[in-house]
Amino acid sequence: MIATSPPTFISVNSKLKHMPLSSIQQQLVSVLKDPDSIRTLDRPTEKAQLVAVQKNPGLIRFIPDAGEKVQLAAVMTSPETVFMMRIPTPLVCFTAVGRLLGVSLLPVPEVLSEAENLVRALKDRLPEPVPAAMRQTPESGKFLEMTKPYKI
């Protein structure tokens, strides 16, 4: 057994508490207090975007230029948010479709492409993007049939 010392804590100087926050810090504080504030930020940082979608995945619809990391954070919490994204990446589509349909597939290029096509086909067509509604579409049936060889 290796002996470890207890963690060291640094006391904060009272002068530091009154220092002005940078714009990045202000964004984080704002989004931590109220995730909906992401809507009012001019150019939110990736960290602010991540905090917002982790607290409320539906906010992804208000982040038009969300990167793949932010998109993945949203679909990991709520896979149906893929339908709220302007342009979800193939990996995001793959992750969301797998979770919505309850299938485990290999992330090979063919499957990524088919998942992206499925999301595009269903994006405007489904009144409610929920797993039960997705499973009952002809497009989902075709996707499941085409991806059988890639099931894990």
Side-chain angles (χ1 to χ4, degrees):
M1 187 164 137
I2 300 173
T4 59
S5 60
T8 311
F9 296 96
I10 300 170
S11 62
V12 178
N13 185 339
S14 62
K15 290 181 183 179
L16 293 177
K17 290 181 184 177
H18 301 291
M19 290 180 66
L21 296 174
S22 71
S23 63
I24 293 170
Q25 291 168 325
Q26 289 173 357
Q27 284 187 7
L28 284 173
V29 168
S30 173
V31 173
L32 281 167
K33 286 181 182 176
D34 178 19
D36 284 329
S37 69
I38 196 80
R39 299 162 110 184
T40 62
L41 298 178
D42 185 27
R43 290 175 37 210
T45 64
E46 183 179 63
K47 286 183 182 182
Q49 293 174 22
L50 282 168
V51 169
V53 299
Q54 286 172 341
K55 290 183 168 272
N56 181 351
L59 291 172
I60 193 74
R61 77 182 81 192
F62 302 109
I63 308 172
D65 60 342
E68 187 171 66
K69 190 185 296 187
V70 175
Q71 291 180 1
L72 280 169
V75 297
M76 291 304 293
T77 305
S78 181
E80 50 281 335
T81 58
V82 73
F83 297 106
M84 299 174 186
M85 298 174 193
R86 202 177 86 207
I87 305 172
T89 68
L91 180 61
V92 170
C93 293
F94 167 81
T95 304
V97 167
R99 296 191 71 216
L100 285 166
L101 296 177
V103 294
S104 293
L105 300 165
L106 294 171
V108 295
E110 298 85 5
V111 176
L112 293 171
S113 176
E114 286 302 319
E116 187 177 21
N117 291 339
L118 178 60
V119 168
R120 279 194 199 134
L122 298 178
K123 196 169 186 175
D124 297 322
R125 202 172 139 228
L126 285 180
E128 254 184 88
V130 293
M134 269 192 76
R135 283 191 200 103
Q136 297 170 1
T137 65
E139 294 90 349
S140 296
K142 180 182 171 190
F143 172 82
L144 291 171
E145 189 60 37
M146 291 179 74
T147 58
K148 270 186 185 177
Y150 303 101
K151 282 191 177 180
I152 297 176

